[in-house]
Amino acid sequence: MSMNRRRFLQACGASAAVSIAPTRVKAASAPHVVVIGGGFAGATAAKYLRMWSDRTIDVTLVDPNASHTSCVLSNLVLNRRITLKELKMDYGSLSSFYGVNVVRDRANKVDGAGKRVRLKEGGWLNYDHLVIATGINMINPPSIDYKLTPHAWIAGGQTNRLASLLNKVGPDSTVIMTIPKSPYRCPPGPYERACLIADIIKRKGLEGSARLQVLDANSSIQAEKHTFENAFNNLYGNIVEYITDVEVEDVISTEGRVVTRTADYVGDVVNIIPQQRAMGFIRNAGLTGDGLWASVDPLTYASTVSGFDGVHIIGDSQATGQPKSAHMANAQAKVCVDAIIRSLAGVPNDDPERVANVTTASACYSPITYDQASWLSAVFAYNTESGQMALTHLGEADRWSTGNYRQMFGWASNLFTDSFH
Amino acid sequence: MNKKIVRTLCLGTLVAGVVPQVQAEDLTVNRLLASQCAQCHGTNGHSVGSIEGLTDESYKDLYEDLMDMRSEDRPENIMDHQALGYTDDQVRRIAHYFGTLSGKAGEAPEFKD
Ligand SMILES: Cc1cc2nc3c(=O)[nH]c(=O)nc-3n(C[C@H](O)[C@H](O)[C@H](O)COP(=O)(O)OP(=O)(O)OC[C@H]3O[C@@H](n4cnc5c(N)ncnc54)[C@H](O)[C@@H]3O)c2cc1C
């Protein structure tokens, strides 16, 4: 996002200067926290570890890329409201302002007993605490070729490819989009994308000739039901055909063919959003048990698997059941950082005062048309009985509006800045 | 290695401007709660976008605003819905945190029982 540079610098300076009750960790040598993955969860963790410890903790942030491309707002690349370039978040302020050691590499093995993590180029790295924040991995339909039928669910080259495919939609074109079974990254995201594709068709004047088939593996809309039902049935009633309980078995990309248990669907443009899971090295380490996501204690985001002392998993990779959103990834990072600092300072994390006040939040703005958006708001609090995060309040916008569309950019610029700057 | 780390003195101790009734509070708990506002309002309330910042808020005003939002008959905007997710005490802690940052924690809101 284009940031107002002056205000941004002010924000950085001020936030460091007014640290309230800084928790200085005193030790013979500074403790070392390694953060794997510099997306919304990892970048927030690295920044807040330095800020809240008053820089008494050494932080290494590992990511294979020089910058992170935000998925948030990336559906707006499809209808050309913004460019992918505007969504690039670099790690400059994390390293130069907060003093995070940023390493360009890829983690591929966790040694829980030895408290070390292996990087592809750099070899083993020792840690006192390890924060894993590597987002999602796709479970690929066996024959899929993403060059022809992109997912565009991790922002990058595929996002641009899908944008140019959609640009070529003409009279009588069929666009197919598939939605995986929950949980997946960004619950309202696929429905938001369906609306924007329908809007592209509408603005090309192809309403009534081109169409969009939305194949949902779930049996109903997974978020903002009221909003999306209204959009699919009314606003885009002549364009969108929404079909539930359709699970993709394979994709023959060269033919635009989506093979499902019940029928084959053939489209001119096919966007497959596949089933998702945590990254391979997380699963290989045994951190997911038999499952797809890493189970953690939501008071600390520490792994519940034994033998991984000091290993925390935050963001989309973990299994708490909270929505997999960037807002939420940022929220979890702060709970995790607070827990790590307390633990390094020898202060218990299960102190009743803290336990009663562990909360997270999520907010998602969903563009519905070229210049209108709706939103979803959710707050979670720790429930002592279940030991899980429980929803305390859920709200969704009454209607989509241009006001919400404008507010979406205000929200995003603070979310981006709070996470990466 | 963790054993070498000495328990910090800063946790739960007083900072300037803290009003009497919350002396014993763990301020890092308030900080954690308040940090959930930053995704929309900026780090420590320093907004870089069109959404208003929270750097100039007093303890009293912010507490009263948040309590108003929580009692809306028809919660409409996103902030009403966010506020509804927190308890009275959490709202008070959040307001106290921002009031302390702005140096305006001196005047405490009136609490109803
Ligand atoms: C189209 C779309 C729209 C969305 N809209 C919203 C929205 O409006 N609001 C919202 O809150 N969320 C939204 N999201 C969801 C949001 O993008 C994700 O929930 C969020 O990015 C999760 O954060 P994360 O840190 O877990 O993962 P990511 O942000 O994906 O970060 C993972 C990072 O880990 C790195 N990495 C991966 N493997 C390794 C490795 N082995 N070693 C080192 N580094 C590694 C990657 O390079 C990446 O930088 C949207 C998503 C999509 C796809």
Side-chain angles (χ1 to χ4, degrees):
Chain A
M1 281 281 76
S2 56
M3 293 285 168
N4 178 322
R5 187 82 192 153
R6 190 176 58 85
R7 293 188 67 188
F8 153 59
L9 287 173
Q10 269 174 0
C12 291
S15 61
V18 222
S19 64
I20 188 167
T23 310
R24 290 176 162 277
V25 174
K26 294 180 194 152
S29 61
H32 186 214
V33 179
V34 176
V35 181
I36 305 294
F40 281 92
T44 306
K47 166 177 164 174
Y48 274 78
L49 274 164
R50 293 289 291 168
M51 197 169 85
W52 280 355
S53 76
D54 213 16
R55 300 172 183 237
T56 50
I57 295 173
D58 286 346
V59 178
T60 302
L61 176 69
V62 181
D63 197 285
N65 302 311
S67 62
H68 177 80
T69 305
S70 165
C71 284
V72 177
L73 301 187
S74 69
N75 277 336
L76 295 178
V77 175
L78 304 179
N79 65 351
R80 315 269 182 198
R81 296 297 324 248
I82 59 172
T83 62
L84 203 59
K85 248 180 53 206
E86 291 175 88
L87 296 176
K88 284 208 163 154
M89 312 287 139
D90 68 53
Y91 302 122
S93 4
L94 287 183
S95 61
S96 61
F97 188 81
Y98 293 99
V100 172
N101 177 27
V102 180
V103 174
R104 204 167 160 185
D105 210 333
R106 183 183 291 278
N108 59 20
K109 200 177 172 80
V110 181
D111 171 11
K115 297 196 92 169
R116 53 187 196 153
V117 56
R118 195 178 66 196
L119 308 186
K120 189 163 173 266
E121 309 293 334
W124 291 101
L125 204 55
N126 294 320
Y127 60 78
D128 294 304
H129 285 262
L130 176 69
V131 179
I132 303 177
T134 47
I136 55 167
N137 175 244
M138 301 301 179
I139 303 176
N140 300 323
S143 320
I144 197 163
D145 178 354
Y146 289 121
K147 285 196 192 73
L148 301 172
T149 55
H151 59 68
W153 213 243
I154 294 173
Q158 289 197 25
T159 314
N160 279 334
R161 212 172 305 139
L162 182 58
S164 45
L165 290 174
L166 289 169
N167 199 29
K168 292 186 198 120
V169 165
D172 304 320
S173 287
T174 298
V175 182
I176 295 177
M177 237 193 88
T178 70
I179 303 175
K181 263 216 147 65
S182 283
Y184 56 82
R185 162 171 288 180
C186 196
Y191 307 99
E192 155 190 324
R193 177 175 287 177
C195 287
L196 291 182
I197 294 175
D199 190 58
I200 290 171
I201 291 173
K202 198 169 184 170
R203 295 173 68 84
K204 279 173 178 268
L206 299 173
E207 187 170 1
S209 81
R211 62 177 183 154
L212 168 65
Q213 284 186 316
V214 181
L215 311 181
D216 196 337
N218 303 286
S219 37
S220 64
I221 291 172
Q222 297 297 294
E224 296 178 66
K225 205 161 182 236
H226 155 83
T227 300
F228 292 117
E229 252 170 23
N230 187 3
F232 289 177
N233 294 337
N234 301 312
L235 184 63
Y236 300 125
N238 291 335
I239 301 172
V240 173
E241 187 188 348
Y242 175 64
I243 310 166
T244 58
D245 300 298
V246 186
E247 270 184 73
V248 176
E249 295 198 319
D250 203 3
V251 178
I252 315 300
S253 301
T254 46
E255 300 170 20
R257 180 179 300 277
V258 182
V259 182
T260 79
R261 207 160 296 160
T262 42
D264 282 13
Y265 296 83
V266 180
D268 302 291
V269 177
V270 176
N271 171 215
I272 301 291
I273 305 173
Q275 289 298 140
Q276 295 150 32
R277 60 184 172 188
M279 283 285 169
F281 79 96
I282 303 179
R283 288 178 286 117
N284 294 339
L287 287 162
T288 53
D290 293 337
L292 303 175
W293 310 103
S295 59
V296 295
D297 171 4
L299 285 177
T300 58
Y301 290 88
S303 171
T304 53
V305 178
S306 65
F308 290 96
D309 184 36
V311 175
H312 308 252
I313 303 101
I314 54 174
D316 285 1
S317 314
Q318 52 69 47
T320 57
Q322 299 169 94
K324 297 188 187 301
S325 78
H327 197 109
M328 177 54 83
N330 169 302
Q332 292 169 355
K334 291 163 181 169
V335 175
C336 176
V337 164
D338 180 66
I340 290 174
I341 294 175
R342 289 174 78 100
S343 147
L344 288 169
V347 181
N349 278 306
D350 56 359
D351 177 80
E353 187 180 0
R354 178 175 190 270
V355 169
N357 290 297
V358 168
T359 64
T360 55
S362 188
C364 273
Y365 281 84
S366 301
I368 303 293
T369 73
Y370 192 75
D371 59 3
Q372 293 170 309
S374 69
W375 49 254
L376 175 71
S377 153
V379 180
F380 293 80
Y382 184 74
N383 181 299
T384 41
E385 266 161 46
S386 65
Q388 303 293 322
M389 296 302 286
L391 188 67
T392 55
H393 187 80
L394 181 73
E396 94 177 68
D398 285 348
R399 65 189 79 83
W400 49 82
S401 70
T402 51
N404 288 340
Y405 189 87
R406 276 194 303 273
Q407 203 175 51
M408 173 172 71
F409 292 97
W411 159 76
S413 46
N414 279 331
L415 174 63
F416 293 171
T417 307
D418 187 47
S419 305
F420 292 92
H421 303 293
Chain B
M1 190 175 308
N2 291 358
K3 295 220 171 62
K4 281 196 217 147
I5 294 159
V6 181
R7 177 178 173 151
T8 168
L9 289 171
C10 293
L11 270 172
T13 57
L14 275 178
V15 291
V18 175
V19 296
Q21 64 261 49
V22 289
Q23 269 186 10
E25 218 158 77
D26 182 343
L27 297 177
T28 65
V29 166
N30 299 4
R31 178 177 71 182
L32 176 58
L33 271 169
S35 71
Q36 298 300 340
C37 306
Q39 289 96 313
C40 295
H41 294 278
T43 305
N44 279 325
H46 289 267
S47 177
V48 295
S50 54
I51 295 178
E52 63 181 326
L54 299 171
T55 51
D56 203 32
E57 293 287 343
S58 74
Y59 180 18
K60 185 174 191 294
D61 289 351
L62 188 53
Y63 177 80
E64 287 169 3
D65 284 356
L66 286 165
M67 290 304 279
D68 274 353
M69 292 171 195
R70 298 185 66 242
S71 56
E72 286 286 342
D73 288 341
R74 285 191 64 246
E76 225 168 21
N77 62 49
I78 194 162
M79 195 51 232
D80 297 339
H81 284 284
Q82 285 281 320
L84 278 164
Y86 296 89
T87 65
D88 289 8
D89 187 57
Q90 287 168 345
V91 160
R92 183 191 58 70
R93 285 171 182 267
I94 291 168
H96 181 258
Y97 178 80
F98 286 109
T100 305
L101 284 191
S102 65
K104 295 180 181 174
E107 195 189 342
E110 281 175 30
F111 299 108
K112 292 180 211 91
D113 285 325

